[in-house]
Amino acid sequence: MKYEWRKQEKNLYIPKQKCQLVTIPEQKFFMIKGKGNPNEQEFAEKIGVLYSLAYAVRMMPKRGYTPDGYFEYTVYPLEGVWDLTEEGRKLDTLNKEELLYTIMIRQPDFVTNEVVERAFEHVEKKKPHPFLSEVKFGTVEDGLSVQMLHVGQYDDEPQSFQVMNEFINNNNLERISLLHREIYLSDFRKVEPAKLKTVLRYKVKAIE
């Protein structure tokens, strides 16, 4: 039976439109950093190289190599960790050119450095990509976090952030970083803006 993250990990990926406190364990990712407007072509190309690597891992058994511990699974969704440059923080309104981001796609636990090397080799041979050398493989552990589902345009996310901030203030918590994470459950190329579904997440700690 194929492993479906939407079913097996609902607590992490399918929250409701209200805040919840979750603990995010260590996870493995293909990651790439960048700066600037996510509506520009460079951002789309970086997404493309991440998916090329993710599917290279997913399809390995069909190309004659089955990693130890491999199981059938659905490729995880795209995620992004967002920040602003120092200049961007000084502005009263958001300038998307000042955005800093790390976009990533989670990998199953069976993925090792050997599997990663094979994925890079496959992408390099099949479809060389100008950003391939910028992709890193590593682990991230968010730990205690507040998350909620945002439905609608990305530009309307501040409304959900306000709800999250109120939840944090009312539950003896505080953010430990100005960064926030987004998990994209919808394909913005196929879904109308008003129906986009995005998980929003802050890393927090309890106030003693």
Side-chain angles (χ1 to χ4, degrees):
M1 182 182 297
K2 181 186 290 187
Y3 185 88
E4 302 273 2
W5 52 266
R6 286 180 178 271
K7 297 178 181 178
Q8 273 85 2
E9 298 182 83
K10 283 185 178 181
N11 63 317
L12 300 185
Y13 293 101
I14 313 295
K16 298 179 180 179
Q17 284 182 267
K18 62 180 182 179
C19 293
Q20 65 178 127
L21 197 60
V22 294
T23 299
I24 312 300
E26 183 177 81
Q27 300 169 335
K28 299 179 178 182
F29 290 91
F30 284 124
M31 304 175 278
I32 188 169
K33 294 181 180 292
K35 174 183 178 296
N37 192 330
N39 296 312
E40 294 176 352
Q41 183 62 28
E42 179 177 310
F43 188 77
E45 290 181 4
K46 288 181 175 179
I47 291 176
V49 73
L50 288 177
Y51 273 109
S52 292
L53 288 165
Y55 277 98
V57 173
R58 169 72 176 79
M59 303 302 290
M60 278 183 180
K62 294 188 176 181
R63 297 196 304 274
Y65 174 72
T66 302
D68 290 341
Y70 182 91
F71 52 85
E72 290 286 322
Y73 66 97
T74 300
V75 169
Y76 281 93
L78 180 73
E79 304 187 29
V81 176
W82 294 88
D83 196 2
L84 282 167
T85 64
E86 288 299 322
E87 185 62 32
R89 292 184 188 278
K90 298 175 184 178
L91 303 175
D92 294 330
T93 57
L94 175 64
N95 179 350
K96 294 183 179 180
E97 298 300 330
E98 298 300 325
L99 285 168
L100 297 172
Y101 59 81
T102 300
I103 50 175
M104 57 187 72
I105 297 178
R106 184 180 165 190
Q107 298 304 298
D109 289 341
F110 69 77
V111 175
T112 62
N113 288 333
E114 179 184 355
V115 173
V116 170
E117 289 174 8
R118 285 177 176 267
F120 271 82
E121 289 172 1
H122 174 77
V123 173
E124 182 65 40
K125 291 177 182 177
K126 184 178 180 181
K127 190 178 181 181
H129 196 286
F131 291 115
L132 182 60
S133 63
E134 296 183 23
V135 178
K136 307 298 181 185
F137 175 72
T139 60
V140 177
E141 182 176 359
D142 277 1
L144 190 66
S145 302
V146 170
Q147 69 177 20
M148 70 175 289
L149 179 67
H150 172 79
V151 178
Q153 302 180 61
Y154 301 132
D155 287 345
D156 291 337
E157 288 177 356
Q159 299 170 21
S160 293
F161 289 141
Q162 180 61 35
V163 173
M164 295 170 70
N165 287 330
E166 291 175 0
F167 177 87
I168 289 170
N169 292 334
N170 293 334
N171 286 273
N172 210 36
L173 302 167
E174 66 179 8
R175 290 178 63 181
I176 61 175
S177 172
L178 292 176
L179 282 66
H180 76 274
R181 182 185 294 266
E182 301 184 358
I183 304 174
Y184 306 103
L185 304 180
S186 306
D187 187 338
F188 66 88
R189 299 167 299 179
K190 302 176 182 178
V191 177
E192 62 180 276
K195 295 182 178 180
L196 290 170
K197 294 183 178 181
T198 309
V199 180
L200 304 179
R201 188 182 291 163
Y202 286 152
K203 294 168 63 174
V204 298
K205 67 178 181 180
I207 300 175
E208 298 180 359

